[in-house]
Amino acid sequence: MSDTILETQHLTKEFKGFTAVSDVNLQVRRGSIHALIGPNGAGKTTCFNLLTKFLEPTSGSIRFNGHDITGERPAQIARRGVIRSFQISAVFPHLTLLENVRVALQRQTGTAFHFWRSERSLRVLDDRAVALLAEVGLAEQADETTANLPYGSKRALEIATTLAMEPELMLLDEPTQGMGHEDVDRVMHLIKKVSVGRTILMVEHNMKVVSTIADRITVLQRGAVLAEGPYAEVSSNPDVMAAYMGTTDGQWQGAH
């Protein structure tokens, strides 16, 4: 099996003459944490939307596990094991944590919309749901109503619901956005923990997170790849520093 789990070749997306993603060649290694970073408007989210087929590329190709998935629909790509966090991470605030994870497990078993079934018939999923909550440190709050959770715990719950879909490749879009330092540290360590045996591609602004857990970094600017490599190499690249100096963050180390 190839070391490369996801590969794009000359991936391009144009909107009425504006090129949002330009000739991006991306290779994500199996079992790695790969970060996609760049100033605001660099094309990171558009790139994610192309990879999960929420947008159709203008040109270029996408391969997953050696298969050309460029023409596939989002549901087909999800069934292959490419799961983007927001696809199923809109947690239900008035359900318990256990019930939220159980809904995600129902999707995996093909009974996602069997809401009319008795709760007793769903209890076969409880052990797996509790195990997933334990994996993200929330087992003791399984019966808590989700609306009562602090923000960082809600993001941890979203990761649990994503894991319920048994992803081979997890795409995390800004997993620490809007968090305080304590929650950032918690979610950062959680991502590192759940990456074991999986591959993670994430868009992330917080350079502490990127420098701590990312094995490889791709920097986008104006839709094109500006630099790629390990953090030490990318962070000392003059082109990258110049790109970040042009943002409101003012400097590379301060880019959140």
Side-chain angles (χ1 to χ4, degrees):
M1 190 175 285
S2 169
D3 282 345
T4 300
I5 189 170
L6 181 75
E7 180 179 15
T8 70
Q9 291 185 333
H10 308 297
L11 193 64
T12 299
K13 180 61 179 179
E14 297 173 356
F15 295 100
K16 296 181 179 178
F18 168 71
T19 303
V21 171
S22 177
D23 198 37
V24 168
N25 296 312
L26 181 68
Q27 285 193 330
V28 178
R29 290 177 62 88
R30 192 179 308 279
S32 70
I33 299 177
H34 193 124
L36 197 60
I37 69 171
N40 289 335
K44 304 182 296 296
T45 297
T46 302
C47 199
F48 257 36
N49 285 335
L50 292 170
L51 295 175
T52 48
K53 295 309 296 298
F54 282 83
L55 287 174
E56 291 289 335
T58 304
S59 61
S61 64
I62 307 164
R63 297 182 72 83
F64 176 69
N65 275 336
H67 299 283
D68 190 328
I69 62 171
T70 315
E72 294 188 355
R73 299 176 65 82
Q76 291 175 288
I77 291 170
R79 281 193 291 270
R80 286 190 181 274
V82 180
I83 306 296
R84 183 175 177 176
S85 55
F86 81 73
Q87 287 178 239
I88 55 168
S89 67
V91 292
F92 299 103
H94 301 299
L95 295 183
T96 66
L97 277 65
L98 178 71
E99 289 167 339
N100 264 290
V101 177
R102 204 164 60 188
V103 167
L105 289 169
Q106 283 179 261
R107 290 176 63 116
Q108 188 72 357
T109 59
T111 60
F113 303 106
H114 292 191
F115 290 110
W116 60 87
R117 295 179 64 180
S118 71
E119 186 168 346
R120 191 182 307 113
S121 70
L122 301 177
R123 286 180 185 160
V124 294
L125 301 174
D126 283 1
D127 288 348
R128 177 63 181 144
V130 170
L132 285 165
L133 287 171
E135 197 166 348
V136 301
L138 293 174
E140 292 183 1
Q141 295 161 270
D143 296 322
E144 179 71 58
T145 301
T146 299
N148 297 335
L149 288 183
Y151 182 66
S153 296
K154 285 179 183 172
R155 295 310 297 256
L157 175 60
E158 290 172 1
I159 290 174
T161 61
T162 304
L163 292 175
M165 299 296 289
E166 298 185 1
E168 191 173 349
L169 172 63
M170 293 176 69
L171 276 66
L172 303 179
D173 197 354
E174 302 281 8
T176 68
Q177 186 176 29
M179 291 185 183
H181 293 300
E182 191 173 312
D183 281 337
V184 166
D185 286 346
R186 180 184 173 203
V187 171
M188 176 175 69
H189 290 116
L190 174 58
I191 292 169
K192 183 68 175 175
K193 178 185 174 187
V194 303
S195 71
V196 176
R198 302 181 179 95
T199 306
I200 293 177
L201 176 63
M202 65 177 185
V203 168
E204 181 56 66
H205 273 101
N206 190 311
M207 286 302 113
K208 177 188 176 185
V209 174
V210 171
S211 65
T212 303
I213 67 172
D215 300 301
R216 194 165 184 83
I217 300 163
T218 298
V219 185
L220 292 182
Q221 184 186 31
R222 299 188 186 96
V225 174
L226 180 64
E228 188 170 284
Y231 178 82
E233 178 184 314
V234 167
S235 63
S236 61
N237 183 308
D239 292 335
V240 174
M241 289 191 284
Y244 273 89
M245 285 296 284
T247 72
T248 55
D249 299 306
Q251 56 182 347
W252 165 264
Q253 293 294 342
H256 298 308

